[in-house]
Amino acid sequence: DQTTVADTILPGKIFEYLAEAGFKNIEITTGSSVNAPKTLIVFSQKVDSTVRLKIEEEVRKISPDLSIQESSGLSFDVVVTFSKTSP
């Protein structure tokens, strides 16, 4: 299993962006088994639209090509899956 730049640098960048944006409970995991064609953000229905916009803005700084969805069955408020082509 080979570690990529995205596996080591990207999580730190996202953590920094979200922490600076005021988010407190941030958990970031990485895995090389994900081969998504573009970055995906999935929000639970309870996430406020203002918060959604801020998260989208922060993620776009790193991965501008993304897709956004909403799900009622999430165990987290937000799940972000980065594509393999994210810097």
Side-chain angles (χ1 to χ4, degrees):
D1 190 24
Q2 189 175 16
T3 302
T4 66
V5 171
D7 291 334
T8 56
I9 295 172
L10 191 59
K13 280 186 176 181
I14 282 295
F15 188 90
E16 270 183 43
Y17 283 134
L18 294 177
E20 288 173 7
F23 296 98
K24 305 273 188 261
N25 189 5
I26 305 165
E27 181 180 330
I28 298 175
T29 59
T30 61
S32 58
S33 62
V34 176
N35 194 11
K38 67 166 75 173
T39 296
L40 173 66
I41 304 174
V42 183
F43 293 103
S44 78
Q45 293 176 329
K46 63 184 177 181
V47 177
D48 179 81
S49 62
T50 304
V51 173
R52 289 178 190 224
L53 289 173
K54 188 61 179 173
I55 291 172
E56 179 184 339
E57 176 184 308
E58 296 302 321
V59 171
R60 279 192 194 277
K61 290 178 182 178
I62 293 171
S63 184
D65 186 24
L66 58 88
S67 178
I68 300 170
Q69 297 178 3
E70 184 177 282
S71 175
S72 60
L74 284 181
S75 55
F76 295 97
D77 290 338
V78 182
V79 175
V80 181
T81 305
F82 286 93
S83 69
K84 281 292 194 184
T85 58
S86 295

